[in-house]
Amino acid sequence: MSIIRIKNLHKVYSQKQIPVKALNGVDLTFDEGEFTALVAPSGAGKTTFLNLLGGLDLPTEGSVEIGGVRIDQLSSAEKTKFRLTNIGFVFQAYNLIPVLTASENIEFIMELQGISKRERAVRSRELLEAVGIPDKANVRPLQLSGGQQQRVAVARALASKPKFVLADEPTANLDSKSTENLLDIMLQLNKKENITFIFATHDARVVKMARRVITFEDGKVINDEVR
Amino acid sequence: MILKIAWRNIWRNPLRSWIVIAALIVGMYAGVFTTTFMYGWMMQRLKSGIETETSHIQIQKPGFKLAEDVNLFFESDTLIRDLERQGDIVCASGRLVVSAMVASAEKAVGIQVLGVDAGKDSLVVDVSEKLVEGAWFSGVKRHPVVVGQELAKELKLKLRSKLIVRFQDCNGDFTGGAFRVAGIFKTNNTGFDGGNMFVRDADLQKLLLIPKGMSHQIVIRCTDPTRVDIVRNSIEQFAKGLRVESWREISPELGYITETMNAYMYVFVMIILMALGFGVVNTMLMVVMERVHEIGMLMAIGMKRHQIFQMIVYETSMLALVGGLIGVAAGIITTHWTGKSGINLSMWAEGLAEMGYDSIIYPQYNFQMVSGVVGLVLFTGLVASVYPAIKALKLNPSQALQSV
Ligand SMILES: Nc1ncnc2c1ncn2[C@@H]1O[C@H](COP(=O)(O)OP(=O)(O)O)[C@@H](O)[C@H]1O
Ligand SMILES: [Mg+2]
């Protein structure tokens, strides 16, 4: 059953003199439990697509429906709430709140959701274990390696028990070893907990692991294959 | 946890935060210390004004002002006895008051002569404790007089100098007498010292031809200085046909001191805080600009706008409070410390005494003043946070995330 339906999605950035057509009519559906890579060179509209999917920006045309909710029609406050409970984000870098420790970063999301202190502590420990760095609970992001930071980011993205995780080039700043580790962890979570992952990437190592690969070019889907 | 984030955010750039905090410390220190200094000074003036010059409460016949009309005396002995039966009153003492010309061998000046009960008057006001030479009416047998240093200087009087006092008696006839200086006093107020001299009521009464047991004025000292107005009102109930006035009415300028001081302090501190507030706003704007990406991330992961707003407000207010509170505390400690030993301004203070101000100043503060200042600091922090916080709110999450 598809949880995400995207119809005729267009996005035109017109702040500058020449309007930029970042998305040019995208139709896609995503099912629960997918492990999907959006592949495209830089500037092809990957980030734009994920931002629209996550309700961080408004489409110029078209609709985004998640679990029956038209999120492009929600108010800004409703979208924030929707993100908090339905979507986990992992960005390329600077994902974490620098003044909070790894476990505090994870717990913060849960605190925003109103989860009790006790439960927060338990879940943050579980998540740090799941991403393989239980010993880094009390370390601040700047003392962690890039790979460790991204693992905390994944743990944080999962803290709110979201319907799916959107990751925008999560491995762009990582070496091969860290990339492999991070992908392993995400694949494990996908298999064990049936968490839906959607990546934007142009990293061949990520593409290799994906079960579905969607290729973008000039704001359009040019290829969509399931392996 | 928003509070925790805000607090830790302050220390992300410790140098910058410390510069802001240091500015606040210096500003608030200066603000607080200057006001406690002024306040202490004014309170000293107030205290000496009341305890030396006006007393707490005066009773006179209506129309008796400036000792102009010697006929406006009243039967005072029984009234004084009634007054002293009241628990709230330490002492009440009758006075005769007359405007006179006083002349020494050198020259003559106009003056107010106060005929006092030597024993009781010194329980009401403290002129008798301010003697620099001689004694309070002792040492001279006939017609002793206690004069101010200022008058003594002007008329070149020494102890036991003779002076002639001329005035009208109660029949309107010119009269007068010779007095000898028994003591010389010096208060903080040279104006008072130059314009008043004290003689014994019995001596003045004979010269004025006023019957015994009569006074122009009763001066009163209350047990509790804060209850003066209450005591005044209760006296008014039974002192029929007489005018009862508290020091506030006798010397309105003394009464304004406290009010003026409060207004002065608030204006002064507000000006300082306004200047500092701009510095805080500027710093926080820099903070918001630097953290655009981070704020975008916080919005993306589900932090609501009002929570972002709250975070910036907390950060700004805590920054202001840390500096402000340290400054206020330092100001109070200095006040405490100098309040005991006093600050000697006598090297610059020629003119001060002429206006009735002490040249050694004991800074003072009160709780209301301190809490007012702390409140203002907090208020400044809140106001200063609004603009940067609004800037943060206006960010669009997708664009914020693109900035590095
Ligand atoms: N806020 C924006 N304003 C104007 N143009 C933008 C903005 N964001 C992205 N673009 C443009 O839209 C196109 C797609 O960008 P993006 O979605 O970031 O691509 P990708 O993530 O695949 O590199 C690019 O040409 C980019 O320059
Ligand atoms: Mg991108």
Side-chain angles (χ1 to χ4, degrees):
Chain A
M1 202 203 93
S2 24
I3 54 164
I4 305 172
R5 290 167 202 276
I6 288 148
K7 283 197 193 118
N8 193 30
L9 202 60
H10 286 260
K11 177 69 185 179
V12 181
Y13 291 109
S14 40
Q15 289 107 317
K16 291 166 194 154
Q17 277 104 328
I18 315 149
V20 181
K21 285 188 174 181
L23 290 180
N24 217 341
V26 175
D27 292 283
L28 280 172
T29 56
F30 295 91
D31 293 339
E32 217 166 323
E34 281 196 22
F35 199 73
T36 297
L38 303 172
V39 189
S42 259
K46 302 184 294 295
T47 299
T48 304
F49 180 74
L50 291 187
N51 283 350
L52 294 177
L53 198 49
L56 294 174
D57 210 346
L58 281 176
T60 313
E61 209 188 314
S63 63
V64 180
E65 190 188 305
I66 299 173
V69 180
R70 279 284 299 272
I71 66 153
D72 52 300
Q73 289 177 341
L74 297 178
S75 72
S76 145
E78 287 167 335
K79 271 191 284 207
T80 306
K81 199 167 169 215
F82 188 86
R83 282 198 297 272
L84 180 61
T85 47
N86 295 286
I87 311 175
F89 282 95
V90 179
F91 304 105
Q92 184 175 331
Y94 310 112
N95 272 300
L96 304 172
I97 302 169
V99 295
L100 295 183
T101 64
S103 64
E104 284 170 338
N105 261 285
I106 297 166
E107 286 186 42
F108 182 57
I109 294 283
M110 293 188 268
E111 189 185 302
L112 293 178
Q113 283 187 309
I115 292 169
S116 77
K117 205 179 160 105
R118 197 112 153 270
E119 202 182 327
R120 292 199 308 251
V122 172
R123 189 152 168 73
S124 119
R125 210 172 314 123
E126 281 171 8
L127 284 165
L128 281 172
E129 223 146 276
V131 298
I133 44 170
D135 54 322
K136 302 293 183 195
N138 297 319
V139 178
R140 291 202 193 180
L142 285 176
Q143 265 106 2
L144 294 171
S145 72
Q148 289 167 336
Q149 285 182 31
Q150 290 303 70
R151 292 187 200 200
V152 178
V154 170
R156 202 248 339 249
L158 296 175
S160 59
K161 301 193 173 161
K163 290 208 175 70
F164 57 95
V165 174
L166 299 178
D168 193 356
E169 309 204 31
T171 59
N173 291 343
L174 303 184
D175 57 42
S176 308
K177 185 100 180 65
S178 310
T179 300
E180 210 172 298
N181 284 338
L182 189 71
L183 284 167
D184 272 347
I185 286 161
M186 293 199 280
L187 203 52
Q188 288 293 317
L189 289 164
N190 170 260
K191 281 183 183 154
K192 267 200 264 172
E193 323 232 346
N194 201 33
I195 291 160
T196 311
F197 279 91
I198 300 171
F199 307 93
T201 189
H202 50 241
D203 186 338
R205 300 166 298 191
V206 181
V207 179
K208 204 173 65 191
M209 308 275 260
R211 283 199 305 274
R212 178 182 174 192
V213 180
I214 299 167
T215 314
F216 272 54
E217 207 176 281
D218 294 334
K220 275 188 179 152
V221 178
I222 56 162
N223 191 30
D224 185 350
E225 67 170 305
V226 181
R227 303 195 282 221
Chain B
M1 214 179 288
I2 292 175
L3 196 65
K4 192 194 270 180
I5 296 174
W7 173 252
R8 290 189 190 164
N9 274 341
I10 293 176
W11 307 108
R12 276 165 83 164
N13 191 332
L15 178 65
R16 184 171 61 199
S17 293
W18 273 118
I19 289 172
V20 176
I21 290 169
L24 278 156
I25 292 176
V26 172
M28 291 320 294
Y29 177 80
V32 167
F33 186 63
T34 317
T35 46
T36 59
F37 179 86
M38 294 301 286
Y39 181 72
W41 199 10
M42 296 297 155
M43 289 313 279
Q44 272 163 260
R45 166 74 189 110
L46 183 61
K47 193 161 177 283
S48 69
I50 296 169
E51 295 190 351
T52 311
E53 297 168 30
T54 63
S55 80
H56 287 150
I57 298 172
Q58 293 184 359
I59 302 176
Q60 293 158 347
K61 270 203 156 172
F64 182 88
K65 264 281 158 186
L66 300 169
E68 227 102 81
D69 195 341
V70 285
N71 284 313
L72 291 176
F73 52 80
F74 56 94
E75 150 60 53
S76 59
D77 276 8
T78 43
L79 182 56
I80 288 176
R81 236 172 283 128
D82 289 347
L83 286 171
E84 289 185 336
R85 234 173 265 140
Q86 294 219 326
D88 278 327
I89 292 172
V90 177
C91 189
S93 178
R95 282 177 170 184
L96 293 168
V97 187
V98 65
S99 291
M101 287 299 289
V102 54
S104 68
E106 298 284 326
K107 62 179 184 179
V109 294
I111 196 161
Q112 172 166 275
V113 181
L114 303 167
V116 301
D117 177 326
K120 288 183 80 179
D121 208 83
S122 52
L123 297 176
V124 179
V125 292
D126 62 2
V127 181
S128 60
E129 288 160 29
K130 310 257 167 170
L131 297 182
V132 289
E133 273 180 80
W136 187 243
F137 296 117
S138 56
V140 173
K141 282 214 180 89
R142 216 180 113 76
H143 288 183
V145 60
V146 178
V147 299
Q149 196 180 44
E150 203 57 28
L151 184 72
K153 238 187 273 168
E154 195 165 359
L155 297 181
K156 301 216 162 63
L157 297 172
K158 292 201 187 72
L159 279 183
R160 309 206 196 291
S161 295
K162 187 165 140 187
L163 49 95
I164 307 296
V165 184
R166 309 210 151 272
F167 45 85
Q168 282 177 298
D169 66 22
C170 72
N171 300 324
D173 297 328
F174 277 98
T175 178
F179 288 82
R180 248 177 226 288
V181 177
I184 298 174
F185 66 88
K186 179 179 186 299
T187 68
N188 298 324
N189 187 350
T190 48
F192 180 80
D193 296 356
N196 294 278
M197 56 186 245
F198 292 81
V199 301
R200 285 196 301 226
D201 52 357
D203 297 341
L204 195 58
Q205 174 234 327
K206 274 177 213 142
L207 292 167
L208 283 171
L209 307 174
I210 288 175
K212 273 196 162 174
M214 301 287 161
S215 298
H216 288 123
Q217 181 179 68
I218 296 173
V219 288
I220 295 168
R221 185 185 187 90
C222 299
T223 325
D224 180 357
T226 62
R227 282 172 49 86
V228 168
D229 290 323
I230 299 164
V231 177
R232 173 205 170 280
N233 292 339
S234 79
I235 293 174
E236 205 164 43
Q237 300 301 314
F238 64 87
K240 290 273 160 358
L242 293 171
R243 195 176 54 204
V244 185
E245 289 176 308
S246 72
W247 59 266
R248 234 181 270 279
E249 294 155 298
I250 303 161
S251 261
E253 78 278 4
L254 291 181
Y256 296 144
I257 287 177
T258 28
E259 286 158 44
T260 329
M261 269 317 291
N262 279 337
Y264 168 83
M265 179 206 76
Y266 281 115
V267 169
F268 186 66
V269 169
M270 272 193 284
I271 290 171
I272 293 179
L273 277 173
M274 203 146 76
L276 294 171
F278 281 109
V280 175
V281 171
N282 183 47
T283 305
M284 288 310 293
L285 278 177
M286 274 163 76
V287 162
V288 169
M289 292 312 159
E290 276 173 14
R291 295 196 205 139
V292 167
H293 177 88
E294 192 174 316
I295 292 168
M297 180 267 288
L298 291 169
M299 286 174 164
I301 65 171
M303 204 162 156
K304 296 186 188 86
R305 279 173 195 269
H306 77 85
Q307 290 168 321
I308 307 259
F309 189 87
Q310 207 180 341
M311 185 179 76
I312 305 286
V313 169
Y314 282 165
E315 186 169 339
T316 317
S317 310
M318 286 190 286
L319 189 64
L321 267 185
V322 169
L325 291 186
I326 296 176
V328 171
I332 289 173
I333 290 167
T334 314
T335 300
H336 226 77
W337 182 46
T338 53
K340 292 212 177 90
S341 49
I343 297 172
N344 197 336
L345 289 189
S346 53
M347 344 164 47
W348 307 284
E350 290 272 307
L352 294 178
E354 276 161 37
M355 300 183 296
Y357 291 92
D358 246 336
S359 56
I360 297 180
I361 292 149
Y362 300 87
Q364 248 187 65
Y365 63 91
N366 59 44
F367 179 74
Q368 198 191 344
M369 189 163 101
V370 172
S371 46
V373 173
V374 172
L376 280 175
V377 173
L378 189 59
F379 179 74
T380 307
L382 289 173
V383 169
S385 64
V386 170
Y387 183 54
I390 286 175
K391 276 265 172 204
L393 277 194
K394 288 212 173 122
L395 294 171
N396 162 308
S398 67
Q399 274 171 311
L401 279 164
Q402 276 176 352
S403 86
V404 183

